[in-house]
Amino acid sequence: KVKNLKGRKMKVSWSWDITDGYQIQYAMNRKFTKKKKTVTLNSLVSNKTFKHLKKKKTYYVRIRTYKKVSGKTYYSGWSSVKKVKIKK
């Protein structure tokens, strides 16, 4: 889920899964080519709040899991893209 919060923030939350961690990407277009940012989180977290976003802009968000096996990192596919407009 992606939710607009007061003060130019958005909150991303997801259901917990057995994994080593998560990667969240957000960008200002659906193809993730403009102003893309990627955040890596450990598996104990099930939500993340992003601050200092631009008002009246739409952000697109996707998430994937990763697992480390024998020193190699394996990633799942990206989730479906969610969008949120920063209004508050």
Side-chain angles (χ1 to χ4, degrees):
K1 291 188 245 177
V2 182
K3 189 175 180 182
N4 178 31
L5 299 177
K6 265 188 181 178
R8 298 179 1 220
K9 299 179 204 170
M10 75 174 163
K11 182 177 182 180
V12 181
S13 56
W14 57 92
S15 58
W16 184 81
D17 197 5
I18 299 172
T19 183
D20 288 341
Y22 302 96
Q23 269 193 335
I24 301 173
Q25 267 189 352
Y26 68 95
M28 296 191 71
N29 68 341
R30 188 174 273 286
K31 293 188 177 186
F32 290 85
T33 55
K34 287 185 184 176
K35 308 246 182 188
K36 176 176 67 175
K37 299 228 179 183
T38 305
V39 177
T40 303
L41 304 167
N42 66 27
S43 63
L44 303 176
V45 179
S46 65
N47 62 58
K48 172 75 175 155
T49 301
F50 295 99
K51 302 174 183 177
H52 309 295
L53 303 173
K54 294 184 178 182
K55 266 189 182 179
K56 299 181 183 174
K57 296 288 182 183
T58 301
Y59 286 85
Y60 297 87
V61 182
R62 63 186 179 181
I63 188 170
R64 69 179 176 179
T65 61
Y66 70 87
K67 195 157 186 78
K68 292 185 180 181
V69 178
S70 302
K72 283 190 173 182
T73 305
Y74 296 95
Y75 294 95
S76 70
W78 288 107
S79 69
S80 59
V81 176
K82 302 283 185 184
K83 71 177 183 176
V84 62
K85 182 157 184 162
I86 305 303
K87 299 179 216 170
K88 301 176 184 178

